[in-house]
Amino acid sequence: MNDATLTYLFDPLCGWCYGATPMLDRLEQSGIALELLPTGLFSGAGARPLDAGFAAHAWANDQRIERLSGQRFSQAYLDNVLNVRGTLLDSGAATLGIVAAGLEDPRQRLAALKAIQHARYVGGRDIVTVDGVAAVLTDVGMADAAQMLKAPTPALLAAHRDLVGHGRTLFQRLHANGVPALAVIRNAAPRLIGANALFGSYDNLVAHIQAA
């Protein structure tokens, strides 16, 4: 991978992205550097009410993701997130928090993403408001990012705009049909790795990356 960049396209409110976490951990542990780019799938115009129909659809998908990945979707998540009406499915605050965490060191984006996902899917916590995301970041030792999220600087807002814009552009260029998505970028030419590779064997994923 010395001649290529491995880019991960995600949204923090995507259950399948949470399911892909074990594979991302394996890649990181093996020394393969990942660039994380948010696509803004559920932020801005993509935000939507978390109504009963969507909640039922999400929970059915979540059970499938748990079987495939081993990632836990807790009763607290069902009770305190999916079954609470009047909230939005809006990843804007979570995405901004992840960008804030990685503003000085982009490698911290993955740690922030994992903390936010765990808070939602296991802890049943609020990660769709600024205060909720800030509390999660503070709990995992990212207090500076939490403070920046509460009072965004021009640098943070510019970085967020650039990263989401880059993520959306790459997503469209790859003709990806959803997130999570992996792209191998070699000589400025991106190649899409199918999301299925994130839910099979690790050796199969590495083979796909090497062949791209």
Side-chain angles (χ1 to χ4, degrees), residues 12-13 90-91 93-94 115-117 119-120 125-129 132-133 136:
L13 287 185
D90 185 347
S91 62
I116 288 168
Q117 289 171 327
R120 178 178 177 85
R125 295 174 62 179
D126 158 38
I127 58 110
V128 298
T129 66
V133 175
V136 171

Side-chain angles (χ1 to χ4, degrees), residues 49-61:
L50 185 56
D51 57 27
F54 189 90
H57 171 74
W59 184 246
N61 265 335

Side-chain angles (χ1 to χ4, degrees), residues 91-156:
S91 62
T95 301
L96 189 61
I98 290 164
V99 175
L103 199 59
E104 297 298 327
D105 181 0
R107 292 173 297 181
Q108 292 301 309
R109 288 180 207 154
L110 180 57
L113 171 63
K114 287 166 59 177
I116 288 168
Q117 289 171 327
H118 188 271
R120 178 178 177 85
Y121 295 115
V122 179
R125 295 174 62 179
D126 158 38
I127 58 110
V128 298
T129 66
V130 166
D131 286 345
V133 175
V136 171
L137 293 175
T138 299
D139 288 349
V140 295
M142 297 181 175
D144 288 348
Q147 285 302 116
M148 204 182 310
L149 173 62
K150 288 184 174 183
T153 62
L156 173 59

Side-chain angles (χ1 to χ4, degrees), residues 63-202:
Q63 301 313 290
R64 183 177 175 214
I65 297 164
E66 184 170 306
R67 289 193 297 272
L68 285 171
S69 68
Q71 290 287 85
R72 181 183 168 209
F73 292 83
S74 73
Q75 187 68 36
Y77 159 65
L78 179 61
D79 293 342
N80 302 328
V81 176
L82 288 186
N83 287 342
V84 176
R85 300 285 77 85
T87 61
L88 281 176
L89 189 76
D90 185 347
S91 62
T95 301
L96 189 61
I98 290 164
V99 175
L103 199 59
E104 297 298 327
D105 181 0
R107 292 173 297 181
Q108 292 301 309
R109 288 180 207 154
L110 180 57
L113 171 63
K114 287 166 59 177
I116 288 168
Q117 289 171 327
H118 188 271
R120 178 178 177 85
Y121 295 115
V122 179
R125 295 174 62 179
D126 158 38
I127 58 110
V128 298
T129 66
V130 166
D131 286 345
V133 175
V136 171
L137 293 175
T138 299
D139 288 349
V140 295
M142 297 181 175
D144 288 348
Q147 285 302 116
M148 204 182 310
L149 173 62
K150 288 184 174 183
T153 62
L156 173 59
L157 294 175
H160 174 267
R161 184 172 57 250
D162 290 348
L163 282 173
V164 173
H166 186 187
R168 286 175 172 166
T169 298
L170 181 58
F171 182 89
Q172 291 164 0
R173 184 176 176 188
L174 291 167
H175 302 291
N177 58 9
V179 291
L182 273 179
V184 177
I185 304 174
R186 187 177 281 112
N187 298 323
R191 297 285 297 276
L192 179 67
I193 304 291
N196 286 346
L198 289 163
F199 295 91
S201 74
Y202 178 70

